[in-house]
Amino acid sequence: QVQLVESGGGVVQPGGSLRLSCAASGFTFSSYGMHWVRQAPGKGLEWVAFIWYDGSNKDYADSVKGRFTISRDNSKNTLYLQMNSLRAEDTAVYYCAKRKTTVVTGIDYYYMDVWGKGTTVTVSS
Amino acid sequence: DIQMTQSPSSLSASVGDRVTITCRASQSISSYLNWYQQKPGKAPKLLIYAASSLQSGVPSRFSGSGSGTDFTLIISSLQPEDFATYYCQQSYSTPYSFGQGTKLEIK
């Protein structure tokens, strides 16, 4: 079955770094764009970053631009999020999600159809 | 950046009720609007994509409508498993923003 499994979360001091991984299975990983989405404790969902199916294009939320890097290794069916210069406000559950494209009345629409269970990042001294 | 605003932020309802949640975009997003359901401690689950298309496996009591800036999620007859938080999300342009969420609670 289609599955995404995040790992790499933990406790890190402000200014530190962490790399998250998202292992994909049950689908052709190299054919799909992938997102990272996070959720701070007791808060709503925040989109973090997106990478095209082949890694050729990447987009970031302003809140992480210049500090976080999304990447992928299609040979390993794995998505990554390198997080540097971490701040207390980066504390959250981080989810990876698969992007699906469907044509409706001749137009491509995009949505997140499969999500992992999340990995928790805590930035604290 | 496109801002997404949901209303209400919270809602109390009873099993069997018809519930409406609205989502407004700060600019036109055509039909690039998705709805997700999230239960405590769980990952979000896709309900509706392209404003009104029901995701496979989602019960037909869920429906979505709207285009441009104003969108609606309707649950026609609430079931016990529907008590959760609901989020809208635009996929028109980056950053792919979410609404702040609507928490649906049991009355």
Side-chain angles (χ1 to χ4, degrees):
Chain A
Q1 72 281 20
V2 177
Q3 193 172 10
L4 298 171
V5 179
E6 302 93 338
S7 61
V11 179
V12 60
Q13 292 188 339
S17 298
L18 212 55
R19 188 178 82 155
L20 305 183
S21 299
C22 169
S25 59
F27 65 100
T28 306
F29 179 71
S30 59
S31 296
Y32 293 91
M34 296 292 296
H35 297 271
W36 285 102
V37 175
R38 69 183 181 183
Q39 187 169 37
K43 303 297 184 183
L45 300 170
E46 179 188 15
W47 174 79
V48 172
F50 174 73
I51 186 168
W52 282 28
Y53 68 100
D54 60 355
S56 60
N57 278 284
K58 307 170 186 180
D59 285 298
Y60 298 93
D62 285 347
S63 58
V64 307
K65 200 172 293 182
R67 300 187 300 123
F68 289 13
T69 301
I70 188 172
S71 63
R72 64 191 298 158
D73 186 337
N74 285 345
S75 69
K76 295 182 178 179
N77 291 341
T78 303
L79 173 73
Y80 302 101
L81 185 67
Q82 178 66 45
M83 304 186 295
N84 299 331
S85 303
L86 282 162
R87 307 166 180 168
E89 54 264 35
D90 296 318
T91 294
V93 175
Y94 285 74
Y95 298 100
C96 60
K98 169 180 163 282
R99 183 173 99 158
K100 179 78 179 289
T101 303
T102 296
V103 178
V104 178
T105 59
I107 299 173
D108 286 351
Y109 289 96
Y110 316 109
Y111 48 95
M112 303 175 195
D113 69 328
V114 179
W115 295 65
K117 293 184 177 180
T119 188
T120 300
V121 173
T122 302
V123 184
S124 174
S125 55
Chain B
D1 295 358
I2 298 172
Q3 311 303 319
M4 306 300 295
T5 304
Q6 290 180 231
S7 61
S9 295
S10 63
L11 175 60
S12 294
S14 301
V15 172
D17 283 354
R18 177 184 174 92
V19 167
T20 301
I21 299 170
T22 64
C23 178
R24 175 164 288 176
S26 60
Q27 66 183 74
S28 177
I29 57 170
S30 183
S31 294
Y32 290 91
L33 191 283
N34 308 310
W35 289 99
Y36 301 88
Q37 176 194 67
Q38 187 181 33
K39 296 182 178 179
K42 301 294 187 182
K45 172 188 172 183
L46 176 70
L47 298 176
I48 302 282
Y49 63 92
S52 60
S53 296
L54 191 68
Q55 170 69 349
S56 176
V58 174
S60 59
R61 62 181 179 273
F62 291 92
S63 64
S65 65
S67 67
T69 61
D70 293 312
F71 302 87
T72 299
L73 174 70
I74 292 175
I75 310 172
S76 60
S77 178
L78 271 175
Q79 299 301 301
E81 60 268 29
D82 299 336
F83 292 94
T85 300
Y86 293 84
Y87 295 92
C88 61
Q89 178 246 337
Q90 63 85 13
S91 57
Y92 181 80
S93 65
T94 58
Y96 296 123
S97 42
F98 289 86
Q100 81 277 17
T102 295
K103 187 173 183 179
L104 181 52
E105 298 175 306
I106 301 172
K107 184 183 286 184

